[in-house]
Structure formats: structure tokens, C-alpha cells
Amino acid sequence: MDTNQLLRELPSVNELLERLSTRADGYPRSMVVAEVRRVLSERRESIRAAQQRNNAPALGEEVMRRLKELTRPSLRRVINATGVVLHTNLGRAPLPRFEPVFGYSNLEYDIEKGSRGKRDSHLAPLMERLLGRPAIAVNNNAAAVYLTLHELAAGYEVIVSRGELIEIGDGFRIPDIMSHSGALLREVGTTNKTAIDDYRNAITDRTRLILRVHPSNFQITGFTAKPELSELAALAKERKIPLYEDLGSGCIVDLKPFGLDEPLVEDSINAGVDLVSFSTDKLLGGPQSGILAGRPDLVTRLRRNPMFRAFRVDKLISQALETVLRSLLFLQWQDIPALRMLALSQDEIHKRATSFRDRLTGYRSELIDGESVAGGGATPTQAIPTALIAIEAPDVTALERNLRLGDPPVISRIENDRLIIDLRTVFPEDEQELLAALGHFCVTRSERPLV
């Protein structure tokens, strides 16, 4: 059939609306009309491009599918069975439970004085007590880097080691941030070795900042060298130039007892760094935002920069972050899911995995030793021993897909033709739902279960 004939056979908007009059009852007519027009337009384009498929869905079915899809929230809870604690695609740090304030709030209102207040007054006292320095919060660590460079070094030079010109991810690069902030990049040293004299010799009357970047998502090993933070701090103090460190992961709690060696924010401040920034949705365990902490005069300048208003956090992030910061301050680490997951021992995971496997029916499975990872651009070469549940199925790809498309979606992984479940990242209260999802697939699939 030629293109013109296919186009002529398409129904008009009114004809398709008439066919859907009963099925689309309950949806706003304007929405139904818009979807009908969108589907018809796309079908015409595919016909003209000779991309019409023989198995293309019926027009009415496609309209109804899209209408139904619009009723379901796009952002959904998922069960993370991958063992990646700070899963970038799954929102990084899992949020602790908190009840959003309903209706109005005192976001920028001083109840005691009865007058306008400051938005960051809810977070500042907690951050200062945790870090020992005044601090502000912005909407992510990239914003923190940009704000710092824009305020302290726009039009002037920032010294940074070549080995620290990192790409954070998705094409987001430190040199690009510097360029857009107006700061001028002054590279020193080499990819693998930078000495304190490289920094010293690069200082001119146009130098406004020395930048140290923690390579959160990679590690260079072998013939490497870089100055200690205390050396850089001494040089910065000697030449009266601020030393700023982008710490990335924002580790507040010492994770060495759990097998993770990540620099602490406190250590950088104690080493003499004038300003630090870090993410709050990684090892801090909170929502997406970035914290800048350090010398009072520098923090004051950053807060007064016009871009601070563009980067400030909203009321939901503020409340979620306040919840996490308070838990950290009172050493209630078990209330922060990411830290709780990272702290689980292999024996604890093994006990849970054994109990889970005892309740799993319809599949051949076994417990194997394996590794979890922090993820989220943190501790790239460090893994955490764990116990994995390896599940066999006649079609393991179909099993993974079925779980992923379920409600709630279950995100897992496949290794050696087996489905791998790591309970480190599964909330204990979600185990029953995970068992039910596996059981549903076993019951509904046509293949005979493995026993």
C-alpha cells in the first residue's frame, strides 16, 4: 500500500474522539483531544518516513496508553537490589523518612521576632556545630564550585593541579565550570605528579585562589605525588591566598571501621583549608544539595553573591537536609539509610540472605560471596564484602525485565546468567515485596519453575 493510501485511511480527530468517547470518560476532554492529535501527527510522520510498522499499536490503544501513563507519577519508589548504595540513577543516597510540612511554613519568617527571617537559618546552626565553621547550602556541589569561583576569582587566576581537572560525570568538567564562572585556569604539575613548588612558582599578582579537587570517581596509582593539604595551607597562608578544596563526597562520619577510606571534611578544615565544599547526597546520606563551609569572611562573601539566590535550596530540600544533619549531630547514624547500609557487615547480610533464600520458592538459588560498592562517584576502588543471592531461571533476562517493570520496580543485575540480589541495599521492610515480585514471575511465566 502506498504512502498516500495509508494517510487517507487515518481517521480524523473527531472520528477517533468518537471511538474513544466511552473509554476516555473521566479524562479532561482537552487532554484527550491533545493526545489524539499528538498520536495522529506522529503516525502521519512515520508513514511519510516509511517507518510504519506492521505491528504498530492501534491508534485508540495508543491514545489510552498515554492517557493512563499520564495519571501515574513518573518519580516512583524502587527497590534497589544491586548492592550499589549511592546509585546515581536511583537518586544516590536513599532518603530517610521525614514528614514534609503541610501547607505554609516558617521558611523565611522569624516567628519569635514576627518579621522576615533568613531561609538558611534552619540549616546554619546544625552545619556550624557539625563542621566547626559557618556554612551555607546550595542546590548541589557543582553550584558550590561555581559560586566560589565566581565570587572569589572571576577575571583572575585559580591554580589547580593537572591531575585534578576531573570530569564529574555526564560531560560535567571542572575546567568548564571554571570557564563559565569567569575564573582563569592556571594548570600546574603533571597528570600524575605535582609538587608544592609547582604551586609556589605559579603564584602571580593575578592569583586569587588555590584549588584542590578530590578525585572522587577515579584513582591514579603508581608513580604519583602531590603535596599534603597542610603544605598547601601553609603556602596559601604565606601568600595570603585562600585555599579551597572541592571534597565531592562529603564524608562526615569516619567509615574506616567499615572498610571505606574516604577523606573527612573535618580533616580538611583542621589541615588549614580556608573553604571546603561537598555534596550532601553521597556519603553524607541526604538529599541533593551542596555545602560550603570555612572562613567566616569567605562564607559571608559567598552568601552575598547574587548567584547565591539562584542556587539556594527550596523548602523540601531544606527540611530533608535538616533531618539528616540533626541525625549526624546527635550520632544517630542508624537513622540515615546510606550510612546504615554501608555499616552492615558481611555476616549480617549473610543472615538476612539466608532467611530470604529460605522463603524463596520456585527457583534454584545459592548464596555466594560478593562485593557491594558505595557508588555515586565515591571510593572508586574500594568494595565492601557482602553475601549475594544468585538465582537461576530459564530466561534470566526476562526475569530481570519483569522485576524492573513491576510495581514497585525492582532493580537488580545479571552475572554469569544468574539474577543477582544484594540485600545490602534492600530495606528489610521491602523484602516481602521483593519475594512477592519473584513469586509472581514464577507463577505467571509459562516455563516450568526450577526446583
Side-chain angles (χ1 to χ4, degrees), residues 274-291:
D274 297 294
L275 194 68
V276 295
S277 72
F278 51 89
S279 298
T280 62
D281 59 346
K282 294 184 179 180
L283 293 177
L284 187 128
Q288 177 187 294
S289 63
I291 289 178

Side-chain angles (χ1 to χ4, degrees), residues 14-28:
N14 286 334
E15 288 173 338
L16 191 49
L17 284 171
E18 182 64 26
R19 295 180 198 173
L20 296 172
S21 58
T22 301
R23 297 177 62 192
D25 187 33
Y27 293 100

Side-chain angles (χ1 to χ4, degrees), residues 50-51 96 109 181 279 304 321 335 392 433 441:
Q51 295 176 346
Y109 185 77
S181 72
S279 298
R304 290 175 178 170
L321 183 55
D335 292 340
E392 297 181 25
E433 279 188 291
F441 181 76

Side-chain angles (χ1 to χ4, degrees), residues 226-350:
K226 66 179 182 179
E228 295 292 334
L229 266 180
S230 56
E231 293 182 86
L232 278 178
L235 175 62
K237 184 176 182 180
E238 171 194 327
R239 304 301 289 268
K240 295 181 172 55
I241 300 169
L243 171 61
Y244 164 47
E245 184 175 25
D246 170 16
L247 269 173
S249 295
C251 192
I252 299 289
V253 177
D254 188 1
L255 299 175
K256 291 186 183 68
F258 313 117
L260 295 175
D261 187 3
E262 188 73 7
L264 295 170
V265 176
E266 179 184 11
D267 291 344
S268 293
I269 291 174
N270 290 339
V273 174
D274 297 294
L275 194 68
V276 295
S277 72
F278 51 89
S279 298
T280 62
D281 59 346
K282 294 184 179 180
L283 293 177
L284 187 128
Q288 177 187 294
S289 63
I291 289 178
L292 277 155
R295 272 173 36 190
D297 59 319
L298 298 180
V299 174
T300 297
R301 285 183 60 182
L302 295 174
R303 198 184 185 286
R304 290 175 178 170
N305 186 291
M307 293 303 297
F308 176 64
R309 184 177 180 86
F311 294 147
R312 66 183 183 176
V313 298
D314 80 332
K315 54 191 174 186
L316 290 176
I317 295 297
S318 181
Q319 189 180 355
L321 183 55
E322 181 184 354
T323 300
V324 172
L325 292 174
R326 185 167 285 109
S327 294
L328 287 168
L329 182 63
F330 285 93
L331 306 182
Q332 297 167 342
W333 300 335
Q334 287 297 309
D335 292 340
I336 303 174
L339 296 182
R340 186 173 67 244
M341 291 173 178
L342 290 169
L344 287 171
S345 69
Q346 187 176 23
D347 286 343
E348 289 173 303
I349 299 292
H350 192 276

Side-chain angles (χ1 to χ4, degrees), residues 373-406:
V373 293
T379 61
T381 62
Q382 302 177 59
I384 313 167
T386 192
L388 303 173
I389 305 166
I391 300 173
E392 297 181 25
D395 189 342
V396 70
T397 302
L399 173 58
E400 183 277 333
R401 183 176 184 274
N402 184 81
L403 292 171
R404 178 164 37 86
L405 297 181

Side-chain angles (χ1 to χ4, degrees), residues 30-259:
S30 59
M31 178 185 292
V32 179
V33 170
E35 289 306 312
V36 165
R37 287 176 173 162
R38 184 175 286 108
V39 168
L40 284 172
S41 176
E42 291 174 5
R43 189 61 59 88
R44 291 189 195 98
E45 288 301 315
S46 66
I47 291 172
R48 292 190 182 106
Q51 295 176 346
Q52 172 71 13
R53 306 188 311 272
N54 292 330
N55 61 345
L59 293 168
E61 295 300 324
E62 181 63 15
V63 171
M64 292 308 302
R65 184 191 67 79
R66 295 188 184 193
L67 289 172
K68 184 177 180 180
E69 193 174 84
L70 288 169
T71 66
R72 187 174 66 179
S74 179
L75 189 63
R76 303 162 62 193
R77 177 179 72 92
V78 305
I79 295 176
N80 175 16
T82 67
V84 181
V85 178
L86 307 175
H87 200 304
T88 300
N89 303 130
L90 304 182
R92 287 186 176 165
L95 286 175
R97 294 188 182 276
F98 75 99
E99 192 68 32
V101 174
F102 175 78
Y104 296 105
S105 68
N106 61 327
L107 181 65
E108 293 186 17
Y109 185 77
D110 189 318
I111 294 176
E112 185 175 327
K113 295 180 180 178
S115 60
R116 183 182 179 89
K118 292 183 178 180
R119 177 181 296 233
D120 52 359
S121 64
H122 309 285
L123 300 175
L126 298 172
M127 293 189 293
E128 184 162 358
R129 283 168 174 78
L130 271 171
L131 304 171
R133 296 289 189 277
I136 56 174
V138 291
N139 53 29
N140 58 28
N141 190 50
V145 175
Y146 179 93
L147 181 63
T148 300
L149 296 174
H150 183 266
E151 172 59 32
L152 303 182
Y156 293 90
E157 293 183 353
V158 176
I159 300 175
V160 61
S161 168
R162 285 186 174 89
E164 297 169 6
L165 296 176
I166 67 170
E167 178 176 323
I168 300 169
D170 197 25
F172 201 77
R173 299 175 174 180
I174 288 291
D176 295 338
I177 302 175
M178 297 181 72
S179 174
H180 283 277
S181 72
L184 304 176
L185 172 64
R186 181 68 184 273
E187 302 177 36
V188 298
T190 64
T191 301
N192 59 317
K193 296 193 73 172
T194 304
I196 189 66
D197 283 340
D198 292 322
Y199 290 91
R200 187 186 307 277
N201 296 335
I203 295 175
T204 69
D205 58 357
R206 293 188 56 77
T207 304
R208 290 295 181 272
L209 201 65
I210 297 175
L211 172 62
R212 165 69 70 89
V213 182
H214 177 59
S216 301
N217 57 0
F218 75 98
Q219 188 175 76
I220 299 175
T221 60
F223 188 56
T224 64
K226 66 179 182 179
E228 295 292 334
L229 266 180
S230 56
E231 293 182 86
L232 278 178
L235 175 62
K237 184 176 182 180
E238 171 194 327
R239 304 301 289 268
K240 295 181 172 55
I241 300 169
L243 171 61
Y244 164 47
E245 184 175 25
D246 170 16
L247 269 173
S249 295
C251 192
I252 299 289
V253 177
D254 188 1
L255 299 175
K256 291 186 183 68
F258 313 117

